[in-house]
Amino acid sequence: MVALTALPLHVPAIEATVAAPQNGAVLTFVGVARCTPAFGERPVVGLDYEAYAPMALAELLRIHTELCTRWPGLRLAMVHRIGALTLGEPVVVVCVGTPHRALAYDASRAAIEELKARVPIWKKEIYADGSAWTSNRP
Amino acid sequence: MRVLVRYFAVLRERRGKSEGWEELPEGSTVKDAYALLCPPAQLPVGYAINQDYVAGATELKEGDELVFLPPLGGG
C-alpha cells in the first residue's frame, strides 16, 4: 500500500495493512517533523511539504514492486504527508510485515532510503523570520 | 514545439507559476529546456518526462509533460 495525504498520519491504521498470518514481524519507521534545521542555526517552527503527486505515487509504486519482488512475502506500506505540518507530527510512515525480524529491518531501511532518494517530494523549513527549501543531499 | 512544464518548490517560486505550456526549438533536450526556462539554471536538477526520470540529453517531443526536479526533501 502506498499513499500521499494532506491529512494527519494514523500509524496503527497503516500498520494494520501489513499484518498477515504468516508474518511474525511488523516493523514501523516514523519520520517526524523536527525542530533542528537541515542547515544553519535557525530553529524550525513548522514544515511544508510539496509533491509532484502523480509521479510521487508512481515512484512509490515502483519502489513497492521492486522490494516485494526482491523479497517475496514482504508486506509493505509507505505513506507520506504533504502540506503544512507542525513539529512532532509524523511526516512519513514505512511499515513492513515479514516472516522474521532480519528481513523486516533490511526491507524497512531499503524502503525509506529509496523513498528519500527517488520520490519527488520537497520540504520547506519554516522559521520565525522566514523559510527555506532544504534537501536530503546537501 | 510546445511542452507542458510543471514547476515545483524553489523553481515554482522563482518562475512565479506552477505550470505552463512553453514553446521550445525542435530537437531541444530536457537540459536545453532547463537552461532556457530557468536561467541561470545553477541549481542541480533531475528531469522527468511524463512522470518518468530521464537523462538530461533526452530529446523532447510535442505535448510532453516536463518537470525539473530540484534536490528532493521527502522522508
Side-chain angles (χ1 to χ4, degrees), chain A residues 12-84:
Chain A
I14 301 167
E15 278 175 344
T17 69
V18 303
Q22 70 278 17
N23 283 341
V26 170
L27 182 64
T28 297
F29 170 82
V30 182
V32 177
R34 63 159 193 234
C35 67
T36 42
F39 314 102
E41 311 245 314
R42 289 188 288 179
V44 175
V45 299
L47 294 174
D48 206 347
Y49 283 89
E50 178 174 327
Y52 176 22
M55 182 175 168
L57 279 171
E59 204 61 31
L60 283 168
L61 274 173
R62 286 182 200 118
I63 294 167
H64 190 282
T65 301
E66 288 168 17
L67 297 185
C68 290
T69 303
R70 185 161 145 200
W71 289 301
L74 170 67
R75 300 280 299 262
L76 172 63
M78 295 180 284
V79 184
H80 204 292
R81 178 89 180 268
I82 52 175

Side-chain angles (χ1 to χ4, degrees), chain A residues 50 52 118 121 124 136, chain B residues 12-13 52-53 65 72-73:
Chain A
E50 178 174 327
Y52 176 22
R118 292 166 52 182
I121 295 174
K124 182 185 248 186
N136 294 333
Chain B
R12 174 176 55 72
E13 291 180 351
D52 255 321
Y53 281 104
E65 178 177 308
L72 304 181

Side-chain angles (χ1 to χ4, degrees), chain B residues 34-49:
Chain B
Y34 182 51
L36 202 64
L37 297 171
C38 300
Q42 285 163 336
L43 179 73
V45 294
Y47 307 98
I49 295 176

Side-chain angles (χ1 to χ4, degrees), chain A residues 78-115:
Chain A
M78 295 180 284
V79 184
H80 204 292
R81 178 89 180 268
I82 52 175
L85 276 79
T86 54
L87 299 185
E89 284 193 286
V91 176
V92 60
V93 177
V94 173
C95 295
V96 297
T98 62
H100 302 287
R101 69 185 179 284
L103 172 55
Y105 283 104
D106 289 347
S108 173
R109 183 66 187 266
I112 187 66
E113 298 301 337
E114 292 295 320
L115 182 155

Side-chain angles (χ1 to χ4, degrees), chain B residues 18-30:
Chain B
S18 57
E19 62 179 80
W21 285 94
E22 310 281 5
E23 184 68 38
L24 294 169
E26 291 298 324
S28 293
T29 66
V30 294

